[in-house]
Amino acid sequence: MKYNRTSVFHPIQIPFGLTIWSLWFAAMYGSHAVVCGIAPPDPSQGVFNWLNASFGLFTVLVIVLLLWLGRRTWKLAHEPNDLNDRQVFVLKVSSGIHFIAALSTVFVGMQLVFLPPCI
């Protein structure tokens, strides 16, 4: 049976969570460097500044997306359906990787949000 690349059963879904995490990571640290070079926030504000707030919001959105994707694929793998072993494997591995990417986003995001920027 052939699946298109947008199907949750296609093997391309396996690295999708880490791809989202990689894009988030590059965007966060790249934008951090650019903003600190162009318009750094006032150091007297500490961690309570517009840059950390925007990093926090973007990080939370990515975490919610990854958790939603992980839960969605996990539920699909465990619902009563007529999936073959390959489909269940792709769903379970994809789900695990989505959850690992979400956890990685939490740990890296905490450093960005709870440390003063541009130090």
Side-chain angles (χ1 to χ4, degrees):
M1 183 181 279
K2 253 185 140 171
Y3 299 103
N4 61 20
R5 281 183 237 130
T6 58
S7 169
V8 292
F9 305 116
H10 193 281
I12 196 95
Q13 298 296 325
I14 292 174
F16 192 53
L18 292 178
T19 302
I20 293 171
W21 177 84
S22 298
L23 293 171
W24 168 83
F25 186 85
M28 294 300 281
Y29 278 98
S31 63
H32 186 265
V34 170
V35 169
C36 286
I38 295 174
D42 184 16
S44 65
Q45 292 177 329
V47 297
F48 302 106
N49 56 59
W50 65 271
L51 185 57
N52 279 13
S54 62
F55 284 163
L57 178 64
F58 185 52
T59 299
V60 167
L61 291 174
V62 171
I63 291 168
V64 167
L65 171 67
L66 289 167
L67 290 174
W68 178 77
L69 288 169
R71 183 175 181 269
R72 177 176 159 246
T73 53
W74 185 258
K75 282 179 68 176
L76 281 173
H78 289 88
E79 287 179 352
N81 46 35
D82 57 345
L83 300 177
N84 62 36
D85 290 340
R86 179 186 169 279
Q87 293 169 325
V88 172
F89 174 79
V90 168
L91 288 171
K92 286 184 178 181
V93 171
S94 298
S95 178
I97 291 177
H98 291 316
F99 289 132
I100 289 169
L103 187 63
S104 300
T105 306
V106 168
F107 284 117
V108 175
M110 285 186 343
Q111 295 174 19
L112 284 170
V113 174
F114 295 116
L115 291 176
C118 308
I119 53 175

